[in-house]
């Protein structure tokens, strides 16, 4: 909307309260507050959900890879050839053998279910998610045939384990005796305790060198799977499809989408639903703006009539009141964006403060996977939120502005 100098002056005067217009100003203030809260809520929720998805994806993929070639019955025959074929496939960054087996762990009279992972040492020390998150102990002492393991922080708490203490791993596949199979129990020393920030992993993972895992599970030189990392995770299906001939008859290929289908689909649906629901707040704010403009038009009927007799056009009057309504919306958008930025910057402190005051645990890692409230703001989403808000505000200013333009000066000034 392009306003001339006189129209801008009138719009500025109508934005400020005058005598007898306090109630209109209060309604307009509520409208600004509603727009600000709606914009802030949308930006905060979308940023947190984006951060949750991104953090969860990064941590899951860092430990599980973008795809795995999994052998039948827990053993991948000819895994060396599969690994070589994967390493020679365009788009593949790395391919590493991996053993993953559910077992039991015992220490200090406590027993917990665990997920044993046998990795090559280069993969253990080269994974920043593990190497950069050691809370106690050191990976330097974790060597093949050293009898040492690294365990998750939550598992260490449950078992009462610490670096230098011992835990016993129990495998149901043990020695056969006349009375049945005797579980295989091997004791290991805890070399390091890590915390990757995903509750399920910190609660269950026990990591050891590949050779030690093969010995414990009596697998010989076999592995359970080959873990594959690609350049572009979104194209993982196209990349690993070239491996199908090499895997045929030996195992199956599973990518990160198939491994976590339910989780990421639920996150995407929730994200869309939350956006739609929170847009209702902005819709209510737009109704408030329309209400305040209608009251302003009724209060200024005499002024409008005088301006019309002085030569002001209907289009000019319409532009004035549309400018007033959009200006209210813009102020709310700016305040909302500032509130969202402040909240997101101090988000964990806010959560901790609410938990301290209420005594309730708002962010339970056992339910939400991650240890802290994540956030990742997408500039394109923020721009979309601002545009949607402006469009709603603009549409709800059309009716009051047209009513102002339709004011008949003869009817209004007849008895003046």
């Amino acid at each position: 909307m392009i306003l001339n100098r006189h129209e801008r002056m009138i719009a500025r005067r109508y934005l400020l309260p005058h005598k007898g217009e306090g109630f209109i100003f209060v309604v307009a203030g509520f409208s600004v507050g509603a727009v600000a809260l709606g914009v802030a809520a949308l930006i905060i929720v979308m940023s947190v959900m984006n951060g949750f998805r991104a953090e969860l994806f990064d941590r899951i993929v860092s430990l599980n890879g973008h795809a795995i070639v999994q052998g039948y019955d827990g053993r991948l025959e000819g895994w060396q050839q599969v690994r070589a074929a994967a390493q020679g496939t365009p788009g593949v960054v790395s391919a590493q053998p991996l053993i993953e087996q559910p077992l039991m762990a015992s220490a200090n009279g406590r027993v917990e279910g665990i997920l044993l992972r046998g990795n090559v040492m280069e993969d253990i020390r080269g994974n920043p998610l593990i190497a950069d998150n050691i809370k106690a102990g050191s990976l330097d002492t974790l060597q093949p045939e050293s009898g040492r393991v690294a365990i998750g922080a939550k598992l260490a708490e449950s078992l009462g384990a610490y670096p230098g203490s011992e835990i016993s791993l129990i495998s149901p596949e043990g020695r056969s005796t006349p009375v049945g199979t005797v579980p295989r129990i091997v004791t290991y020393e805890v070399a390091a305790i890590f915390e990757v920030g995903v509750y399920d992993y910190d609660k269950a993972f026990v990591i050891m060198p590949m050779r030690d895992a093969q010995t414990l599970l009596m697998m010989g030189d076999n592995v359970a799977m080959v873990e594959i990392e690609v350049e572009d995770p979104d194209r993982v299906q196209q990349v690993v499809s070239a491996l199908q001939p090499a895997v045929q008859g030996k195992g199956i290929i599973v990518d990160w989408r198939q491994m976590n289908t339910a989780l990421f689909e639920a996150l995407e649906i929730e994200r869309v639903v939350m956006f739609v629901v929170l847009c209702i707040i902005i819709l209510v704010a737009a109704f408030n703006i329309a209400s305040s403009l209608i009251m302003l038009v009724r209060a200024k009927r005499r002024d409008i009539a005088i301006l019309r007799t002085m030569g002001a056009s209907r289009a000019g009057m319409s532009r004035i009141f549309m400018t007033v309504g959009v200006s209210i919306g813009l102020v709310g958008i700016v305040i909302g964006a500032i509130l969202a930025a402040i909240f997101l910057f101090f988000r964990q402190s806010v959560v901790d403060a609410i938990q301290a005051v209420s005594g309730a645990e708002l962010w339970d890692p056992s339910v939400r996977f991650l240890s802290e409230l994540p956030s990742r703001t997408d500039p394109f989403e923020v721009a979309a939120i601002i545009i949607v808000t402006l469009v709603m505000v603009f549409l709800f200013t059309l009716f009051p502005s047209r009513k102002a333009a339709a004011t008949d000066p003869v009817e209004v000034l007849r008895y003046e």
Side-chain angles (χ1 to χ4, degrees):
M1 291 178 294
I2 301 176
L3 281 71
N4 60 38
R5 186 165 59 88
H6 301 292
E7 290 171 349
R8 286 197 298 271
M9 180 193 68
I10 296 170
R12 281 197 301 269
R13 287 178 59 86
Y14 285 176
L15 280 170
L16 300 175
H18 293 82
K19 186 176 180 181
E21 299 174 358
F23 181 72
I24 299 175
F25 184 73
V26 170
V27 175
F30 280 130
S31 302
V32 171
V35 171
L37 289 177
V39 170
L42 267 173
I43 294 176
I44 291 168
V45 169
M46 300 307 290
S47 297
V48 169
M49 296 193 73
N50 287 340
F52 186 83
R53 184 186 184 281
E55 286 290 321
L56 199 58
F57 175 80
D58 291 343
R59 294 172 191 268
I60 287 175
V61 168
S62 294
L63 289 173
N64 292 331
H66 298 132
I68 59 170
V69 180
Q70 189 170 8
Y72 299 121
D73 297 326
R75 294 172 187 256
L76 181 61
E77 301 291 341
W79 65 268
Q80 295 90 343
Q81 290 80 7
V82 174
R83 180 188 183 190
Q87 290 174 331
T89 302
V92 173
V93 176
S94 68
Q96 297 290 349
L98 174 67
I99 293 176
E100 195 169 271
Q101 181 68 35
L103 298 177
M104 300 292 290
S106 174
N108 302 313
R110 307 172 191 175
V111 179
E112 292 287 340
I114 66 159
L115 189 63
L116 173 69
R117 285 175 63 94
N119 297 82
V120 294
M121 289 307 303
E122 294 80 6
D123 195 23
I124 295 175
R125 291 179 180 158
N127 190 332
L129 195 61
I130 296 174
D132 297 343
N133 290 286
I134 300 298
K135 298 301 179 182
S138 172
L139 291 177
D140 295 336
T141 58
L142 188 63
Q143 300 288 344
E145 300 181 354
S146 64
R148 294 187 177 93
V149 296
I151 67 175
K154 301 300 181 184
L155 179 61
E157 290 178 10
S158 299
L159 295 176
Y162 53 89
S165 65
E166 293 184 341
I167 64 171
S168 297
L169 302 186
I170 307 167
S171 171
E173 296 184 5
R175 294 181 292 107
S176 296
T177 68
V179 294
T181 301
V182 177
R184 182 176 172 80
I185 302 176
V186 182
T187 300
Y188 294 90
E189 181 183 330
V190 177
I193 296 174
F194 59 85
E195 185 173 12
V196 300
V198 180
Y199 182 85
D200 285 2
Y201 295 167
D202 292 331
K203 178 70 174 176
F205 272 16
V206 173
I207 297 175
M208 65 169 57
M210 176 68 68
R211 195 181 309 167
D212 292 0
Q214 290 171 330
T215 301
L216 172 63
L217 300 174
M218 299 183 295
M219 297 181 65
D221 192 39
N222 291 321
V223 300
M225 62 190 74
V226 171
E227 183 182 75
I228 299 172
E229 183 179 347
V230 299
E231 292 176 352
D232 185 1
D234 292 326
R235 294 187 61 253
V236 63
Q237 287 183 332
Q238 295 92 317
V239 173
V240 299
S241 61
L243 282 174
Q244 199 62 49
V247 178
Q248 192 71 34
K250 299 177 181 179
I252 58 173
I253 302 175
V254 183
D255 62 42
W256 65 268
R257 287 190 181 92
Q258 294 168 318
M259 287 187 281
N260 306 281
T261 301
L263 176 61
F264 285 106
E265 283 187 356
L267 287 176
E268 191 62 29
I269 293 172
E270 184 180 10
R271 186 166 165 267
V272 173
V273 171
M274 290 301 294
F275 182 86
V276 173
V277 170
L278 290 174
C279 278
I280 295 175
I281 299 177
I282 298 176
L283 190 63
V284 172
F287 273 112
N288 286 341
I289 292 175
S291 300
S292 62
L293 282 180
I294 290 171
M295 288 188 291
L296 182 63
V297 169
R298 291 187 63 83
K300 299 294 184 182
R301 289 184 73 225
R302 185 171 179 276
D303 292 356
I304 295 170
I306 294 173
L307 288 170
R308 291 280 290 115
T309 59
M310 294 174 64
S313 65
R314 291 178 181 272
M317 298 310 303
S318 181
R319 287 196 297 270
I320 289 171
F321 285 93
M322 287 172 67
T323 301
V324 172
V326 171
S327 298
I328 293 172
L330 283 173
V331 172
I333 289 171
V334 172
I335 295 175
I338 294 172
L339 288 174
I342 294 173
F343 181 92
L344 291 173
F345 185 79
F346 295 104
R347 62 187 182 280
Q348 194 58 44
S349 300
V350 172
V351 172
D352 294 340
I354 294 174
Q355 289 182 158
V357 172
S358 65
E361 190 170 12
L362 301 180
W363 190 261
D364 186 358
S366 64
V367 175
R368 294 178 173 84
F369 298 99
L370 302 179
S371 301
E372 292 186 350
L373 182 67
S375 171
R376 183 171 295 185
T377 303
D378 184 351
F380 294 102
E381 282 192 351
V382 173
I385 291 169
I386 292 173
I387 291 172
V388 168
T389 304
L390 282 175
V391 169
M392 285 187 181
V393 170
F394 176 77
L395 292 176
F396 277 82
T397 60
L398 292 177
F399 177 74
S401 62
R402 289 184 181 276
K403 288 292 289 182
T407 300
D408 184 1
V410 175
E411 189 70 27
V412 174
L413 300 176
R414 175 180 297 178
Y415 302 107
E416 294 292 333

